[in-house]
Every structure is written in structure tokens, then in C-alpha cells.
Amino acid sequence: MKKTVTTLADGRELIYYDAAEDTVRDAVDQRPLDPVSTSSEIRHDPLLGDAVAIASHRQARTYHPPADACPLCPSREGRHSEIPDDHYDVAVFENRFPSLAGDSGRCEVVCFTSDHDASFADLTEEQAALVLAAWTDRTAALAALGQVTQVFCFENRGAEIGVTLGHPHGQIYGYPFVTPRTELMLRSAARHREETGANLFDAVVAREEKDGSRVVLATDHWIAFVPYAAHWPYEVHLYPRRRVSDLRELDEGARTEFPQVYLELLRRFDRIFGPGEPPTPYISAWHQAPFVADGREDFALHLELFTIRRTSGKLKFLAGSESGMSVFINDVPPEAAAERLREVASQ
């Protein structure tokens, strides 16, 4: 992998990740951009103890542009985009409309491919491996920033999720605090350690593997299963068999095997609802340990992949119980979801 760091016209950082070591990236951003102006502010809720990012500047962000005006496509034929070069393998840049900025953290955009009409599931294993390398490198880079406490790499796919740009891409958030969801996991892990002397994440994986009814696929280095108390209609958790705290700690075996396993999961997601159905909307989220936190050594890196589509043509909405009380109601039994995801395996 070759990494090339440059800047856009307004001073934001842009990083190219290329499979070929001899790739030259010297294209210059020709756009007359004004400096980025953000109003990001972190406010803490005294009742819930969590944090909310107030970012009014995001109201002006690009919203469902036509394909020939996509800001994530390469710059070609006189049309300038966020990527100055006329092609790329993987590109990462600072978000022009960040939710978090400055002392409040950092937001980056990850473009998985220059092909506007592709999806992550369309990538080759070599391309997926390059994305994994980019996620890992950015985790390491953001870990070195004093204002970043936790790194979150994720992809939103589909208009139903709220995606405003159709080009295959994801995002990376560098939070200046430990996120509420992670704090819950850390507290549960600490309680389990105190009560049993063992690791909670190891116990969860062992339970799923022993039961087997919710396991979707298992390889030498990874295991994917629908969790016992799945919140979403179709939800898969993917764990490396050797527990690590974040992406930087994955061994070579896990890195080598990941593209095959992950691409298979994404392709199964697109087949859940049968032929002729539109692509399945999903969120794919890497859960990594905060860099400085009590219990970091007990945390287990894992990926959570889920869709809000519960059946053909119907979405799972977060209504009164979910939005008002954070108590989820799932219409699809986890065992049935796992069975369906096994049925649609690649032939």
C-alpha cells in the first residue's frame, strides 16, 4: 500500500491509499474554496449524562446531487470534486461539513472506490483489504490527536438510512469523549469481570458458538452471528477470534481473511429479501476501544452490521418505545434472521 498525503484548496487534509507502490498523486485542487467555517459544539445532557453535537453549519451540506455533480467522484472533464485526481483506489479527506471539528474532534469521509455506481459489496477482496488498511491507518493517526478519545469507522448505505450522497463511501469520527454505547459495554464488561473473573465479550462469543443457532458463518479467524437479543430485524456481529481492542491490533491472519468474510456478509444482506428487491439499506459500524479508558484491555473490537428493513417494502421505525424509552421491539426472531442469512449464502 502507498499512502499519499496532500491538501485541498481550503486546507483540509486529503489522503490517497493506493494498491500500487509506484502510483503518483500530484493533482492540485483547482476549486476557489473559502476556508471551512464550522460551528460545532458539544453539549452535555445533565439528566442522561450523554453528549450532543450541535452543528448548525451542516444544514448547508450537499444533498442528493445528480450523479454528474457528485463531490466524491474523481475530477474529470473540467468538473472539479473533492478528489482532485481523475481516478483513485481509496481516498480519505476531512469532511467539509463536519459534526465534530477542532477541539470537539474530527470527521473524515472515506471513499471506497472511484466507481460511482458500485457498492462495497461490489469490491474485490484486494480493494476491501485496502479499505481495511485505510481504516487501520486512520485509527492510528487519530489516536495521536490530543482531542480524540475514541475512533468510530462506519458506513451508512441507502436513502432509507439518511444517506445524502449515493457514491460508495463511509465516515470516520474521532470523538473527544467515550461514546455512551461504549460506556455501557465497558460497564457491563467490568461487572462481568468482577462477578466471574472472566471476559464478557469472550463469554458472548463462546455462548453463540456453542449454541450455533444464530451463527451465520465461522472461519479460522472470524465468527459472525445474530446476537441473542438483536435490536434490529437483521443484525450481525462480526468478531475476530483473537480478542483485540482496536483495528491496529489485528494479526495478519485476520487481516487476510477479513475481505472474504465481510464481502460475503454484505452480499448476503443484499439477498435477504429475494430477487428484484432494491439493495438492502444498512449501517456497518466498527466498535473500537477508547484509547484511554478503564477496562480498555477487556474491550473486544467487533463490527455490527444491521438493516432497518424488516420485510419487503417495510422499514423498522424507532417509534415510542424505542425513541422514548430506548426499549427495542424486534419483529424478527434472531434465530429466524440467522437462518435466512445462512440460506442466502453465495453458491
Side-chain angles (χ1 to χ4, degrees):
M1 179 190 77
K2 182 178 180 181
K3 175 182 175 182
T4 305
V5 181
T6 184
T7 55
L8 297 171
D10 54 11
R12 288 176 295 133
E13 191 174 36
L14 165 67
I15 308 104
Y16 293 100
Y17 295 90
D18 289 289
E21 291 288 346
D22 59 352
T23 303
V24 176
R25 298 292 183 189
D26 54 9
V28 177
D29 186 2
Q30 302 290 339
R31 298 172 297 172
L33 296 180
D34 294 327
V36 173
S37 177
T38 64
S39 58
S40 182
E41 176 189 358
I42 302 296
R43 296 187 181 183
H44 294 274
D45 186 321
L47 295 180
L48 297 180
D50 59 9
V52 177
I54 309 297
S56 60
H57 62 276
R58 285 176 53 78
Q59 289 279 36
R61 66 188 184 274
T62 308
Y63 186 80
H64 292 300
D68 60 2
C70 175
L72 307 185
C73 286
S75 295
R76 294 173 180 160
E77 302 173 351
R79 190 187 71 81
H80 301 297
S81 73
E82 292 279 59
I83 317 295
D85 217 325
D86 61 3
H87 71 287
Y88 62 85
D89 290 347
V90 175
V92 178
F93 60 87
E94 289 183 76
N95 197 326
R96 185 166 174 79
F97 302 97
S99 303
L100 308 167
D103 292 339
S104 296
R106 178 168 166 127
C107 291
E108 300 180 342
V109 176
V110 185
C111 299
F112 303 138
T113 171
S114 59
D115 184 354
H116 179 85
D117 297 317
S119 68
F120 201 117
D122 295 323
L123 301 183
T124 66
E125 291 184 17
E126 291 74 19
Q127 289 174 305
L130 189 60
V131 175
L132 176 62
W135 283 330
T136 305
D137 183 73
R138 297 314 302 156
T139 296
L142 296 184
L145 300 180
Q147 71 270 35
V148 173
T149 299
Q150 183 178 356
V151 170
F152 178 44
C153 305
F154 65 100
E155 179 192 2
N156 298 329
R157 203 277 284 267
E160 300 94 328
I161 297 295
V163 174
T164 58
L165 297 176
H167 195 103
H169 73 287
Q171 299 181 65
I172 301 175
Y173 278 20
Y175 294 104
F177 50 79
V178 180
T179 63
R181 189 173 176 86
T182 303
E183 284 190 333
L184 283 173
M185 293 185 194
L186 288 170
R187 287 203 296 271
S188 296
R191 184 168 58 250
H192 186 83
R193 172 70 70 183
E194 182 178 348
E195 293 174 353
T196 70
N199 181 272
L200 175 60
F201 293 94
D202 292 348
V204 167
V205 173
R207 171 186 177 177
E208 295 295 349
E209 188 161 32
K210 181 179 179 180
D211 180 279
S213 64
R214 291 175 296 276
V215 173
V216 175
L217 62 85
T219 65
D220 290 343
H221 297 280
W222 295 89
I223 182 168
F225 54 85
V226 178
Y228 174 76
H231 289 56
W232 301 96
Y234 291 90
E235 175 181 347
V236 173
H237 293 190
L238 176 63
Y239 279 77
R241 289 190 176 275
R242 185 179 72 86
R243 175 165 49 87
V244 297
S245 297
D246 62 41
L247 287 165
R248 298 173 297 176
E249 299 174 9
L250 286 175
D251 59 29
E252 193 58 36
R255 291 186 184 282
T256 299
E257 205 174 68
F258 172 78
Q260 176 186 355
V261 172
Y262 186 51
L263 290 173
E264 173 64 18
L265 286 177
L266 292 181
R267 290 163 186 168
R268 291 190 194 189
F269 257 58
D270 273 342
R271 291 193 290 269
I272 291 173
F273 303 104
E277 288 291 322
T280 301
Y282 65 74
I283 292 175
S284 177
W286 280 110
H287 289 260
Q288 305 194 78
F291 301 126
V292 180
D294 292 338
R296 171 183 162 81
E297 67 284 353
D298 255 354
F299 194 87
L301 168 76
H302 64 284
L303 183 143
E304 297 186 8
L305 173 67
F306 61 90
T307 180
I308 62 171
R309 186 179 292 164
R310 56 188 175 88
T311 189
S312 180
K314 297 179 181 178
L315 300 180
K316 163 64 178 176
F317 292 101
L318 299 189
S321 185
E322 291 90 352
S323 294
M325 284 290 128
S326 294
V327 178
F328 275 68
I329 302 168
N330 189 354
D331 298 335
V332 181
E335 294 75 17
E339 182 178 5
R340 179 58 180 160
L341 285 163
R342 291 192 295 267
E343 288 175 350
V344 295
S346 297
Q347 301 299 323

